[in-house]
Amino acid sequence: MAAASEKALLPLGALMLAASVSGWAQSNAAPGAEQTLKTVTVTEKAEAPEGKDALQTKKTTIGKGTQDIRDIPQSISVMTEKLIDDRKLDTLKDALHHTAGITFAATENGTDQDIRLRGFPVATVGDLLIDGMRDPSQYDRDTFNYDRIEILRGSASMIFGRGSTGGVVNQVTKQPMLLDQNDFETTIGSRGYVRTTADFNIRTGEDAALRLNVMANKADNGGAKIDKYGIAPTYRWGIGTRDEFSVGLFHLNVDNVPQSSMRYLNGNVPNINPGNFYGTQSDYLLGKATYGTIKHTHRFDDGGELRSQVRTGVFDRAQWGTNASFGAPPLNPATVTAANVNPATVLQRQGLTPRKDRFTGTYFQSDYSNEFNWFGMKHQILTGVDAASEKANRFLANNGIGANFDKGNTTIGTPNDGRTLAVAPIYRDSSNYSATAMGAYIQDLVQVAPDWKLLGGLRYDTFKGNFNNLVYAATTGNTLTRVDNAQMSIGAFSYRGGVLYQPTPTSSYHFSYGTSFNTNADTYQYTTPQTANTPPEKSRNIELGAKLDWLDGKLSTRGALFHTEKYNERTTDADFAGTAFLLSGKRHTAGIEIDVVGRLTPQWEIYLSYAYTPVAKIDAAGTAAQATVGQRVGLTPKNSGSAWISYQATPKLRVAGGINGASENFALAGTSGAAQLTARAAGYVVADAMMEYKFTQDTYMQVNVSNIANKIYGDQLYPGFVITGAPRTVKMTVGTRF
């Protein structure tokens, strides 16, 4: 989408226009007549192209208000809509592959939302955001309504509350603009892929507009299946005025067959054809996400802004996937190794643990920002409150279908054999919880000298939860024998401090310290009577970095040295037989992150994100896990990154290419000794390419090829199995704007 048009005061242009109109009126009016000029509203595009038009952006909303990226003393990566469109990234998971330091852990259910940043969980502790507000539920997230994706790295509980050890991921949604503009795209591709998106922006008044984004996507996907649709209408009025409002709805419906997982072969990712599906047609991933949002911005006469928003939603998800393992003799003539695996090798298909849950959440936050001159210094104040009410019901199968359910054998050479099953999971209540959270914070950025700024922030959070675990008389029975109840009530402070040195308008250097915490209820929102009131885990982040602009501001570079540490991790002690948590664990990661984004010349544009993490160490553990002390933390490759370069060859033709990848990775928390032989993924690099041809200014065709070499690699890792990355995919898109 073109850069957002906003009402803006353009002093010189407005003055010239007013003078011109005034002069015309005076020259044509009768002498002595009273003259009244009609109010003139000047509307102009943003000074620099952003969003759909450029890879570079210099502002962010991830800090609870619109801020210059250079004024935030932490590493920030931004993926604009242009990068998402260029690389044809359909889901949040697809997109996050293209920013450094992010990996993906599979879970026992095969879900794909266990995201790791700097080696620490993101999704399972509530560090996914929508427009700066929590989005904790696990569901498939599609990019059709994204304006951009912002990644703030390092501890950030002072801004967002519990969680935020490795960082947060903010999904910025498309908002109505003051123009009439519509985009329509259809994409066809490999394995029956068909996707259609439409983005309608309709100006309905002087300061009001409606925006509607829709999506439908289907694919055979080699046996796995994609079948989903989404709709997201938003109406916004009072744009740029004293009081601005918006109301929006979002609905996403998913009816997929998930990709099957594979057991490791001799501790490594098996060398099979990428994209081979060894599940059954009875596998499923069903999901619905529906939420509504109301926003209000009040602009005060002194320049202050009060931004408030409320979001409430319901999220349903059910999944049953398949794990394929290499059959032992006599299913195969001999023990399967990398040397003797062949198309006739027998695979045993086993069902992963069925999962079903419903999550409801209501969130509120209100943030005030303003600038003041106190004691001869400029203060940029940011303060606010937020609250959340969350409930979840979780279900497990009660008809004998659990982990390792026999789904029948197949062979390496017969993927997607069309097998269906006569049975399916029947669910019963397993656990439920309800929780409330409240937080309040204040932050001050002080200009203490012409080139120096100091930042300080303080936050306090409270969290209360009620958790129930339902216990039945027998595995397949429905007689409820008891309900184990646990309650949690905690409070915690979070801090943030930093120093900014900005000697020029194009350079900013920072040193920062921030803390974070996460409760026992964060991971899957469940706890027990024995562990309910275990104090929160606490983390801290120390960072030294720089943000520099080059080539008259057209190219931005960002780099940082970081040390992120969880210094009282929950552990178990052998003396307690796993019935209680201790806070005796410790782990840390340290390294460097680099981003380069923008234009090298009018024809060349670049996006580069790279992380080098030489240190990812378990420093302390409970007595039951002493063997892991000193080992490297799993899911934290030493090298990871992505690069994308585009070249405008002619006014109509643009070509682009890029790579993304990571070095050797492990699924386990510790990686010494035998563990290195059980769950390992070799390093990989995959290459993508794109060509775009514009028939007219507003009509174009785009061809994408991803994973050009059709490389097999471990994408989502779990100690017992791996889900491999997508195979070579060709997509052709035709789009128009009208």
Side-chain angles (χ1 to χ4, degrees):
M1 184 58 60
S5 296
E6 299 288 348
K7 287 187 175 179
L9 181 61
L10 306 178
L12 181 59
L15 181 62
M16 294 175 65
L17 181 59
S20 174
V21 173
S22 177
W24 177 85
Q26 290 177 7
S27 64
N28 289 277
E34 183 176 327
Q35 301 166 21
T36 302
L37 297 182
K38 184 179 178 180
T39 301
V40 176
T41 301
V42 180
T43 304
E44 185 56 87
K45 287 187 176 182
E47 292 181 1
E50 295 181 2
K52 198 176 181 71
D53 297 325
L55 301 180
Q56 181 193 40
T57 181
K58 295 182 180 180
K59 290 187 179 293
T60 177
T61 57
I62 202 168
K64 293 283 187 86
T66 302
Q67 293 177 275
D68 290 331
I69 290 177
R70 70 195 304 266
D71 281 342
I72 297 178
Q74 280 181 247
S75 294
I76 295 178
S77 299
V78 180
M79 304 177 66
T80 65
E81 188 183 0
K82 182 175 184 180
L83 182 65
I84 294 170
D85 284 349
D86 269 7
R87 304 194 82 160
K88 289 302 168 193
L89 308 174
D90 296 344
T91 66
L92 177 65
K93 177 177 169 291
D94 291 341
L96 292 179
H97 275 94
H98 300 280
T99 186
I102 290 183
T103 56
F104 302 89
T107 68
E108 62 181 346
N109 307 99
T111 55
D112 62 358
Q113 299 294 333
D114 195 355
I115 303 165
R116 304 295 175 99
L117 177 54
R118 292 184 177 176
F120 296 94
V122 173
T124 56
V125 295
D127 289 339
L128 293 177
L129 312 173
I130 298 176
D131 296 330
M133 194 157 59
R134 296 174 71 87
D135 178 33
S137 179
Q138 291 199 1
Y139 64 97
D140 284 54
R141 293 169 169 86
D142 195 281
T143 61
F144 79 97
N145 195 40
Y146 287 174
D147 177 77
R148 62 188 182 275
I149 301 169
E150 303 172 328
I151 300 98
L152 177 68
R153 303 169 185 272
S155 299
S157 282
M158 199 289 296
I159 295 291
F160 302 108
R162 57 194 169 98
S164 310
T165 299
V168 299
V169 176
N170 186 33
Q171 307 154 83
V172 182
T173 61
K174 296 178 180 179
Q175 296 298 309
M177 305 175 292
L178 291 178
L179 52 82
D180 291 312
Q181 181 172 281
N182 306 295
D183 290 275
F184 183 86
E185 282 190 351
T186 294
T187 303
I188 59 174
S190 305
R191 298 175 296 283
Y193 181 95
V194 179
R195 181 179 172 94
T196 299
T197 60
D199 183 353
F200 303 105
N201 194 97
I202 304 166
R203 183 168 181 168
T204 60
E206 182 179 348
D207 59 11
L210 171 69
R211 193 162 186 177
L212 173 65
N213 278 271
V214 295
M215 173 277 300
N217 193 176
K218 289 192 175 186
D220 296 334
N221 214 26
K225 183 183 74 172
I226 297 173
D227 187 357
K228 60 182 176 179
Y229 66 86
I231 182 169
T234 304
Y235 182 61
R236 185 178 172 208
W237 70 97
I239 300 174
T241 66
R242 185 181 185 89
D243 285 287
E244 181 177 313
F245 298 87
S246 76
V247 293
L249 294 173
F250 177 91
H251 178 73
L252 178 66
N253 190 91
V254 175
D255 184 4
N256 292 352
V257 173
Q259 182 58 264
S260 56
S261 59
M262 293 284 294
R263 294 284 181 186
Y264 297 93
L265 183 57
N266 305 127
N268 297 285
V269 177
N271 187 21
I272 60 173
N273 291 330
N276 275 9
F277 174 73
Y278 296 109
T280 75
Q281 297 305 304
S282 300
D283 298 357
Y284 58 83
L285 193 165
L286 305 174
K288 291 182 181 180
T290 305
Y291 60 81
T293 305
I294 301 174
K295 300 179 183 178
H296 171 235
T297 300
H298 179 75
R299 299 178 174 93
F300 296 89
D301 292 337
D302 63 356
E305 280 193 354
L306 180 64
R307 299 187 178 193
S308 303
Q309 58 177 320
V310 177
R311 186 176 71 246
T312 186
V314 179
F315 307 87
D316 292 291
R317 183 181 177 95
Q319 179 165 335
W320 192 32
T322 295
N323 179 42
S325 59
F326 298 91
L331 290 176
N332 287 300
T335 300
V336 179
T337 67
N340 64 19
V341 66
N342 62 77
T345 299
V346 176
L347 296 175
Q348 292 179 285
R349 286 185 288 204
Q350 298 170 318
L352 296 171
T353 303
R355 169 180 174 173
K356 180 180 179 181
D357 49 59
R358 162 167 281 204
F359 182 96
T360 62
T362 299
Y363 305 89
F364 165 79
Q365 69 182 38
S366 187
D367 306 289
Y368 172 77
S369 60
N370 206 347
E371 293 186 1
F372 300 96
N373 286 308
W374 294 334
F375 311 107
M377 293 179 289
K378 184 171 75 172
H379 297 253
Q380 296 180 40
I381 297 294
L382 181 63
T383 186
V385 296
D386 51 57
S389 175
E390 299 172 335
K391 295 180 180 180
N393 291 92
R394 307 194 184 282
F395 308 87
L396 291 177
N398 75 328
N399 59 333
I401 295 179
N404 301 321
F405 179 83
D406 185 6
K407 290 189 174 184
N409 298 340
T410 187
T411 66
I412 289 284
T414 57
N416 189 23
D417 62 3
R419 180 176 175 82
T420 59
L421 302 177
V423 296
I426 299 174
Y427 294 95
R428 68 181 180 197
D429 288 342
S430 172
S431 62
N432 60 72
Y433 85 96
S434 61
T436 59
M438 297 185 66
Y441 73 94
I442 184 168
Q443 175 182 282
D444 189 6
L445 180 63
V446 188
Q447 185 95 42
V448 295
D451 300 333
W452 292 88
K453 296 177 181 178
L454 296 180
L455 180 139
L458 172 67
R459 178 186 175 101
Y460 183 73
D461 283 278
T462 62
F463 175 87
K464 294 182 179 180
N466 187 69
F467 307 83
N468 294 307
N469 183 39
L470 283 65
V471 180
Y472 294 86
T475 302
T476 59
N478 285 308
T479 302
L480 183 65
T481 59
R482 72 177 192 274
V483 177
D484 292 335
N485 176 262
Q487 297 180 343
M488 176 181 289
S489 179
I490 65 167
F493 283 98
S494 303
Y495 311 92
R496 188 189 196 192
V499 179
L500 289 155
Y501 174 56
Q502 299 173 332
T504 69
T506 59
S507 61
S508 180
Y509 305 88
H510 69 264
F511 175 79
S512 64
Y513 174 87
T515 68
S516 64
F517 75 97
N518 54 278
T519 72
N520 185 39
D522 287 341
T523 303
Y524 304 120
Q525 297 84 35
Y526 178 69
T527 189
T528 66
Q530 292 82 11
T531 61
N533 284 306
T534 303
E537 295 179 315
K538 295 183 179 179
S539 306
R540 53 193 165 212
N541 181 71
I542 301 173
E543 187 172 304
L544 177 66
K547 301 180 178 76
L548 306 174
D549 290 337
W550 311 86
L551 305 177
D552 295 324
K554 297 180 178 64
L555 183 71
S556 296
T557 59
R558 296 188 281 275
L561 296 167
F562 69 88
H563 182 283
T564 303
E565 179 184 31
K566 181 169 284 188
Y567 57 87
N568 67 337
E569 186 175 32
R570 283 187 294 271
T571 63
T572 55
D573 192 299
D575 294 335
F576 292 92
T579 60
F581 281 142
L582 304 178
L583 294 175
S584 58
K586 183 185 294 187
R587 67 176 63 199
H588 78 280
T589 59
I592 184 171
E593 295 164 335
I594 297 172
D595 283 3
V596 179
V597 185
R599 291 194 177 274
L600 300 170
T601 72
Q603 289 77 36
W604 289 95
E605 197 168 15
I606 184 173
Y607 169 90
L608 170 68
S609 181
Y610 171 71
Y612 175 55
T613 313
V615 179
K617 183 181 178 183
I618 299 175
D619 302 300
T623 59
Q626 281 297 299
T628 65
V629 175
Q631 298 178 10
R632 185 172 180 86
V633 176
L635 298 165
T636 315
K638 287 185 178 180
N639 297 277
S640 63
S642 178
W644 184 254
I645 299 177
S646 70
Y647 174 62
Q648 191 74 46
T650 72
K652 292 181 177 292
L653 177 65
R654 184 167 64 96
V655 294
I659 59 173
N660 69 284
S663 56
E664 184 180 56
N665 200 5
F666 297 91
L668 300 179
T671 57
S672 71
Q676 288 182 315
L677 303 177
T678 58
R680 172 187 174 274
Y684 71 93
V685 175
V686 296
D688 305 334
M690 183 274 287
M691 181 188 72
E692 177 192 70
Y693 185 82
K694 287 196 171 184
F695 301 101
T696 69
Q697 184 64 30
D698 297 321
T699 304
Y700 60 91
M701 180 181 71
Q702 180 176 323
V703 177
N704 287 76
V705 183
S706 58
N707 194 0
I708 295 172
N710 203 32
K711 188 174 182 63
I712 183 79
Y713 62 95
D715 182 20
Q716 302 164 55
L717 308 183
Y718 188 70
F721 55 79
V722 59
I723 300 175
T724 57
R728 181 192 299 120
T729 304
V730 179
K731 296 178 181 178
M732 184 182 73
T733 302
V734 176
T736 186
R737 172 174 290 178
F738 57 94

